[in-house]
Structures are given as structure tokens and as C-alpha cells.
Amino acid sequence: MSDLNKILKPRFETILQEKDNIKDELINEGYLTNALIQNTSLDYFDKERIEINGCRFINVTFNEVSFKNIDLIDVIFENCDLSNVDFSDGSIHRVEFKECKLIGTNFGESNLQNVLFEKIMGRYLNFGYSKMKNINYNEASMQGAIFLECVLNKVAFKNCDLSSCEFTNTSLKNIDFRDNDISDILLTGKELRDAIVSPIQAVELARFLGVIIK
């Protein structure tokens, strides 16, 4: 069955400074570093090209937030609600999303490297036109997520619900889907070349290849 990749973990200073209100700092300075933010919310925030580096977010709700063109480096989100947050055109490195809500979150046209998505609720996540390297999806629920025209390099899915996900024009070479739910996925057929699937999955996917099974 599919194995997760060995990926680089976020790096932190020994002691993080706990902060309650980060909105003003992000607006005025354009960056946030070495901070611990927990049990709070960030509401109605829209600013491009900010940097968040070496931070940990625990039980934080992001409401009506846009982080377009963000540099997100060495960050952990735990039990956070990031639904509908806009990370498009972002650069996201050594980041972990653990037990977070990512419903409708937009990572379109982003560059993601060494990122973990673990036990997330990610229906309708958008990764369209993004580039991913060393990415792990572990026990993630991502029905209807969009992987349109992505570049996948060492991307692993383990025990994930990928039903109704779209992989159109995304090469799935060496992607192991065997212990994941890929029912009703959307693609043209060519994407499946050298993908790894179970015999039962192969029967369902045969429809994309014009095969008639009797």
C-alpha cells in the first residue's frame, strides 16, 4: 500500500512569543515571525505579499481572509478553521496542516514543498495549476478537490477520501491510490499512465480508457 514521503518538518526558534492580535502587525509590517497564536480569530483580512515565518497557530479561525502571494515558511496549523482562505500564488514551504478545516480553501497557482495535510476536512480544496513537491496527504477528507493541471513530484496520498476529485491534465505517474477512495474522480484518461491502483479501482477507471468489461 501507499507510503508517505520523508519530508522536511517546520523549523522553530526555541521559544515562540505568544500573541493575541496579529492583524495590525500583518497590516503594518507585512510579516509575522516566531509567534504562537492560539484560541483566537483573524477576521476580514485582505493583504497581498505578506510573510509568515516560524509560527504556530492553534485553534485559530480565519474568517474572510485573503493571503494572496503569501510566503508561508516553517508554520504549523493545528485545529484551525481555514475554510475559504485564499493562499493563491503563494510560496508554501515546510508547513503542516493538522486536523484543520480547509473547506474551499484556495491554493491555486501556488508552489508547495514539504507540506503535510493530516486529518483535514478539505472538501472542494483548490490546487489548480499548482506545483507540489514532497507533499503528504494522510487520512485527509478531500471530496471534490481540484488538482487541475498540477505538477506532482513525490506526492503521497494515504487513507484519503478523494472521491469526485478532478485530476484533469495532471500526470499521476507513480501516485499510489490503492488505499484511497477515488470513486467518481474526473480526468480524461491520459493522466492515469503509470499510476498505481488496485484491481477493483482499475475496473472503475477502465471507463476512461474506452475498455468494456463483461
Side-chain angles (χ1 to χ4, degrees):
M1 293 300 177
S2 57
D3 294 320
L4 295 176
N5 297 309
K6 292 182 179 179
I7 63 177
L8 299 177
K9 298 180 69 65
R11 304 167 184 170
F12 295 102
E13 296 289 336
T14 304
I15 299 176
L16 299 180
Q17 181 181 359
E18 189 162 0
K19 297 185 177 182
D20 295 322
N21 184 2
I22 61 172
K23 187 173 184 178
D24 291 341
E25 184 169 346
L26 287 172
I27 291 173
N28 296 328
E29 304 296 336
Y31 62 86
L32 181 70
T33 61
N34 303 328
L36 171 63
I37 305 94
Q38 56 185 340
N39 304 318
T40 187
S41 65
L42 177 63
D43 302 314
Y44 308 108
F45 180 87
D46 185 348
K47 185 176 175 65
E48 294 192 28
R49 301 187 186 281
I50 66 169
E51 178 181 334
I52 299 178
N53 193 326
C55 295
R56 190 168 194 151
F57 296 84
I58 303 173
N59 297 321
V60 177
T61 297
F62 296 78
N63 181 39
E64 299 288 337
V65 171
S66 177
F67 286 137
K68 281 187 177 181
N69 299 108
I70 191 172
D71 283 328
L72 196 62
I73 306 167
D74 294 323
V75 177
I76 293 179
F77 296 94
E78 297 179 67
N79 298 300
C80 293
D81 188 346
L82 295 135
S83 298
N84 298 311
V85 171
D86 189 353
F87 289 108
S88 61
D89 294 296
S91 180
I92 300 167
H93 298 282
R94 295 192 301 272
V95 176
E96 296 181 352
F97 298 90
K98 296 183 174 182
E99 299 188 63
C100 292
K101 289 180 68 175
L102 292 159
I103 299 171
T105 305
N106 183 13
F107 291 95
E109 299 185 82
S110 291
N111 189 323
L112 299 94
Q113 189 167 347
N114 292 297
V115 180
L116 170 66
F117 296 90
E118 185 167 73
K119 296 182 179 179
I120 64 164
M121 294 177 59
R123 291 191 303 275
Y124 312 119
L125 263 168
N126 179 22
F127 293 102
Y129 304 95
S130 64
K131 297 180 180 179
M132 305 183 193
K133 183 177 181 180
N134 291 337
I135 311 296
N136 286 335
Y137 296 91
N138 186 30
E139 298 183 35
S141 180
M142 297 191 295
Q143 306 97 318
I146 297 172
F147 293 85
L148 173 68
E149 296 197 28
C150 291
V151 177
L152 308 184
N153 183 1
K154 295 184 178 178
V155 174
F157 299 95
K158 188 173 182 65
N159 298 324
C160 295
D161 184 349
L162 302 173
S163 56
S164 300
C165 286
E166 180 176 2
F167 290 95
T168 305
N169 295 330
T170 294
S171 173
L172 301 175
K173 182 178 181 179
N174 298 324
I175 302 294
D176 191 340
F177 287 115
R178 287 176 296 173
D179 53 11
N180 302 279
D181 182 355
I182 58 171
S183 56
D184 299 317
I185 63 170
L186 303 175
L187 38 73
T188 64
K190 62 183 180 180
E191 300 89 350
L192 291 169
R193 185 177 181 86
D194 296 321
I196 303 168
V197 299
S198 70
I200 293 176
Q201 290 172 331
V203 171
E204 179 181 352
L205 295 171
R207 60 192 170 92
F208 293 108
L209 306 176
V211 176
I212 300 174
I213 299 175
K214 294 184 177 181

